[in-house]
Amino acid sequence: MVTAVATKPWLVQKYGGTSLGKLLDSICCGIIPQYALGHHLIVVCSALSGTVKAGGTTSLLLQCIAFAELGVDAQKRLADLVDLVRDNHLHALEAFASAPARAAATRTPLYEDTVAGVRRECEGLKRFLLAAQIVGELSPRSKDRVIALGEKLACMIVAACLTSIGTPAKPVFLDNIISSAFGNSIHDQVAALERLGPKFYHVLAGHIGSQIRQCGQEIPIVTGFFGIMPDSLLQTVGRGYSDLCAAMCAVAVGAEELQIWKEVDGIFTADPRKVPSARLLSTVTAEEATELTYYGSEVIHPLTMDQISDACIPLRLKNVFKPSGHGTIIYPSAEDSASISPITPLSPLSDSSDNSSRATIPVSSFMLKNGYHGSQQERRKPTAVTVKDDILLINVVCNRHTKSQGFLTQVFDRLERNKIGVDLVTTSERHVSLAVQSPGDPSALLRLKEDFERFGQVAISPNMSIVTVVGHKMRNMTGVSNEILSALASAQISIYLTSQGASKINISLVVGADDALAAMNAIHSEVLKIPTHREQENRFIPGPWLY
């Protein structure tokens, strides 16, 4: 645990690649310096991205890996792609330095050193990948090493921009943190991961804290990529790992709050791009945030809340376009949040040494104000609705000669063998229905179908979507299932599978992809009781009118 020497509290901010790509100037000249006045700040960076993830640094590096595995025939395409990564970062640095207000101040040796550093890192990557082309393949750990470059370059750029305007910052690279914590032996790393489980990341947090301590008075600019995992970081954690890294940084320093900055105001009752009447939620529970993430809303990485809950650290989602907005705050679970000090939305200049000037609200009162009742934070209506697209519905009917007690075992064994995860499942003695994400490899689905046909009849329905209604302790809401089904029936939407099961937080339904948007709007209006824009407008129209 890192302890602050002064009275200022620790605050961890994580910035996504799209935010850095679009608003590097605003983040480095506005948001970070202002918060640094009242806090010991730690900044975690994702790899720079553009307007779409497909053109972002991580996506380009994944394409570099693909070209490396194609062999020497793709040599020129590989070299051009690495050059594109280099040029994107140099352009971002040049655009920052060329601003009229600071053009003279930023053309310093630091600027030239950063330019040289970016070129050096990209040339090193090019040499590594061109050598890999001779073999024609890369190990998972080698792929991790390639992906790590994106966050490293982003931190170099951000640290240089901050330092050039008088806010001292230092990049902190975590690509070797796993080996420093658990040794260089892959066997030892795998054993540690299996033995410690989630605590594996708590151990890493301690080592991250040691590196943060070495920054002194400079702001640590930490790579979201946190090491070469035993079985590859992308396979073990998945994309979005920088959220988890930010959580480990918050745990390491006992942060007052973890902030994740995005291009939206926070969490809404539904996707506002699809449901115009969607409302911003001031808070949701940790469990609700996890469910919303799993079933289609890009909220936070699922492992993030697990890491900060034990340390009782709240998480807040903020909008880089509206830094003064309160966003959505997520407190740890009810049993943990009781020990959290009352916290108001942090302003950039807030300072814990002047608590008298800050109006505070107890967590329980704040949650009650936002519809969470009692110690169990029960709700009287659902919180949000979300949709997960690109779903396949697989129905398997067991043959008569197959023993029913081994039927489910065989089904899930085949799914595991083909590396296909299951989102929803309903079963009877000789029948199982599965909702799965469409696999990226079409051959995997063909192999799965062939495996299933060995012991049953198989029907696969493509073009499906999962509509999920989320609400804390929703199982206790009498009649909510009837409201959901009635809303969909009124909208003439067919339901192919329903699932509630052991979950107290969500009810999920599979509908046709073409009906997903209508289902989302019907549930939002009729079940969440949030009127559509047309209904809201009609309230202000007096009548009757005579024409």
Side-chain angles (χ1 to χ4, degrees):
M1 179 74 71
V2 180
T3 305
V5 177
T7 57
K8 292 191 294 186
W10 285 97
L11 176 66
V12 178
Q13 295 183 332
K14 180 261 175 175
Y15 292 94
T18 307
S19 299
L20 292 171
K22 292 178 181 177
L23 295 171
L24 182 63
D25 194 287
S26 298
I27 291 170
C28 291
C29 295
I31 299 173
I32 292 176
Q34 289 180 355
Y35 273 95
L37 293 175
H39 302 87
H40 287 285
L41 201 59
I42 299 170
V43 175
V44 179
C45 294
S46 295
L48 259 64
S49 182
T51 54
V52 292
K53 283 188 175 181
T57 304
T58 300
S59 296
L60 293 178
L61 291 172
L62 289 171
Q63 291 181 48
C64 287
I65 291 171
F67 286 147
E69 293 180 326
L70 288 177
V72 294
D73 292 340
Q75 192 173 86
K76 186 180 186 304
R77 286 182 289 172
L78 171 58
D80 290 344
L81 207 54
V82 175
D83 289 344
L84 177 60
V85 171
R86 178 201 64 202
D87 293 343
N88 286 347
H89 288 82
L90 293 179
H91 175 74
L93 188 61
E94 174 67 22
F96 184 90
S98 298
R102 54 179 178 272
T106 53
R107 297 292 183 171
T108 63
L110 172 65
Y111 174 85
E112 301 301 332
D113 289 345
T114 305
V115 169
V118 170
R119 292 184 181 277
R120 184 172 56 252
E121 292 288 346
C122 290
E123 284 304 312
L125 174 66
K126 188 185 296 185
R127 289 194 300 271
F128 176 77
L129 290 176
L130 289 175
Q133 277 190 326
I134 298 174
V135 180
E137 67 174 331
L138 286 166
S139 70
R141 289 166 62 84
S142 294
K143 293 177 182 179
D144 272 4
R145 184 71 68 181
V146 174
I147 299 301
L149 180 68
E151 278 79 3
K152 182 180 289 188
L153 295 177
C155 287
M156 292 168 62
I157 299 294
V158 171
C161 292
L162 287 170
T163 303
S164 69
I165 61 168
T167 304
K170 179 180 179 180
V172 177
F173 305 139
L174 301 180
D175 46 336
N176 293 316
I177 197 74
I178 303 289
S179 57
S180 67
F182 301 103
N184 293 320
S185 168
I186 299 178
H187 175 77
D188 291 342
Q189 294 174 11
V190 172
L193 182 59
E194 293 177 349
R195 182 180 71 255
L196 295 173
K199 292 183 179 179
F200 179 89
Y201 302 104
H202 288 299
V203 176
L204 280 185
H207 287 264
I208 292 172
S210 298
Q211 292 205 25
I212 290 171
R213 187 186 297 115
Q214 296 172 12
C215 293
Q217 296 303 309
E218 297 175 299
I219 297 177
I221 311 298
V222 184
T223 56
F225 188 97
F226 57 86
I228 313 300
M229 292 288 284
D231 295 319
S232 164
L233 184 62
L234 284 174
Q235 292 182 19
T236 305
V237 178
R239 295 190 67 165
Y241 46 73
S242 54
D243 287 356
L244 177 56
C245 181
M248 290 191 290
C249 289
V251 171
V253 301
E256 181 181 42
E257 187 172 284
L258 167 60
Q259 296 179 348
I260 295 180
W261 290 75
K262 295 176 173 284
E263 296 80 53
V264 294
D265 290 332
I267 300 175
F268 286 79
T269 51
D271 187 339
R273 296 168 298 182
K274 300 176 180 178
V275 182
S277 58
R279 295 177 179 176
L280 177 66
L281 294 163
S282 297
T283 186
V284 298
T285 66
E287 294 83 358
E288 287 174 328
T290 301
E291 291 291 299
L292 286 169
T293 299
Y294 186 80
Y295 285 106
S297 298
E298 293 187 8
V299 180
I300 54 172
H301 192 280
L303 289 174
T304 302
M305 288 307 305
D306 292 342
Q307 296 306 304
I308 62 176
S309 289
D310 291 342
C312 296
I313 298 172
L315 181 150
R316 189 184 300 274
L317 301 175
K318 298 269 287 179
N319 189 344
V320 288
F321 290 103
K322 301 177 184 177
S324 60
H326 292 167
T328 300
I329 191 165
I330 304 168
Y331 290 106
S333 58
E335 55 268 23
D336 296 326
S337 62
S339 60
I340 301 177
S341 300
I343 297 175
T344 52
L346 297 178
S347 66
L349 302 180
S350 67
D351 190 333
S352 62
S353 62
D354 185 20
N355 286 328
S356 61
S357 65
R358 297 177 64 196
T360 59
I361 302 173
V363 172
S364 58
S365 300
F366 176 75
M367 297 300 288
L368 179 61
K369 179 182 177 181
N370 286 280
Y372 296 87
H373 300 266
S375 60
Q376 297 300 310
Q377 298 179 345
E378 295 184 4
R379 288 186 61 84
R380 294 174 181 171
K381 61 181 179 180
T383 303
V385 57
T386 187
V387 168
K388 190 171 188 177
D389 294 317
D390 201 20
I391 296 296
L392 298 174
L393 184 64
I394 304 175
N395 292 304
V396 185
V397 180
C398 174
N399 291 332
R400 294 189 178 276
H401 62 266
T402 302
K403 294 181 178 180
S404 60
Q405 60 267 31
F407 173 51
L408 288 179
T409 302
Q410 295 183 63
V411 168
F412 286 99
D413 176 67
R414 301 308 193 275
L415 289 165
E416 175 66 23
R417 184 182 303 172
N418 289 281
K419 294 181 169 50
I420 295 177
V422 178
D423 290 310
L424 300 175
V425 57
T426 61
T427 68
S428 62
E429 183 182 7
R430 308 187 68 84
H431 183 281
V432 61
S433 294
L434 308 159
V436 305
Q437 191 80 43
S438 296
D441 180 9
S443 63
L445 182 61
L446 292 176
R447 291 194 302 270
L448 181 66
K449 187 174 185 294
E450 291 174 358
D451 286 344
F452 282 166
E453 287 175 339
R454 294 175 184 174
F455 53 83
Q457 299 174 359
V458 184
I460 299 178
S461 302
N463 302 318
M464 295 289 174
S465 295
I466 297 175
V467 178
T468 299
V469 186
V470 174
H472 200 69
K473 305 290 184 181
M474 194 164 64
R475 182 191 287 177
N476 299 331
M477 300 180 196
T478 303
V480 68
S481 296
N482 180 59
E483 290 182 7
I484 294 171
L485 297 176
S486 296
L488 296 182
S490 298
Q492 298 184 334
I493 296 172
S494 299
I495 301 170
Y496 297 88
L497 183 151
T498 62
S499 176
Q500 183 175 17
S503 174
K504 300 178 181 179
I505 294 179
N506 82 69
I507 296 175
S508 295
L509 312 100
V510 174
V511 301
D514 294 338
D515 292 328
L517 181 59
M520 198 179 196
N521 278 274
I523 292 172
H524 193 262
S525 174
E526 301 300 325
V527 183
L528 273 62
K529 311 299 184 186
I530 298 176
T532 63
H533 278 335
R534 181 182 294 275
E535 291 170 336
Q536 294 177 37
E537 291 168 357
N538 289 342
R539 291 178 180 178
F540 298 97
I541 300 176
W545 292 97
L546 297 177
Y547 294 96

